[in-house]
Amino acid sequence: MTGALDGMHVVDLTNGFAGNSCTKLLADLGADVIKVESPGQGEFTRTLVPWVFQTFNRNKRSFAVDLRSEEGVELVYRLLEAQ
């Protein structure tokens, strides 16, 4: 099944309900959404009941990167350039 946004690539740097809701809709419509999370705990919705994180981040791929490090920032820049 194809969606209206097939072929669109989105890098999701959001952390919270509003941003996650927006990128969830993009993913539901077929965009390839890559969620960037903090190492260790991840984003705060992971600390809530399991269905909250699953609902707001369905249809997304994710990985953890430390954006406080120079290497982490460089990795995200390379990801953005590849899109």
Side-chain angles (χ1 to χ4, degrees), residues 9-13 34-36 61 63 73-83:
H9 300 282
V10 177
V11 178
D12 181 0
L13 297 168
I34 300 173
K35 174 86 177 157
V36 178
R61 298 184 288 158
F63 72 100
V73 172
E74 179 61 32
L75 179 64
V76 171
Y77 278 136
R78 283 189 285 154
L79 180 63
L80 291 167
E81 288 172 354
Q83 305 302 317

Side-chain angles (χ1 to χ4, degrees), residues 26-64:
L26 296 174
D28 289 347
L29 291 170
D32 176 27
V33 178
I34 300 173
K35 174 86 177 157
V36 178
E37 297 185 67
S38 299
Q41 180 178 322
E43 72 155 279
F44 88 94
T45 59
R46 285 188 180 271
T47 64
L48 305 173
V49 290
W51 64 266
V52 172
F53 178 80
Q54 294 165 352
T55 299
F56 283 100
N57 291 288
R58 67 176 178 238
N59 298 324
K60 299 179 189 179
R61 298 184 288 158
S62 67
F63 72 100

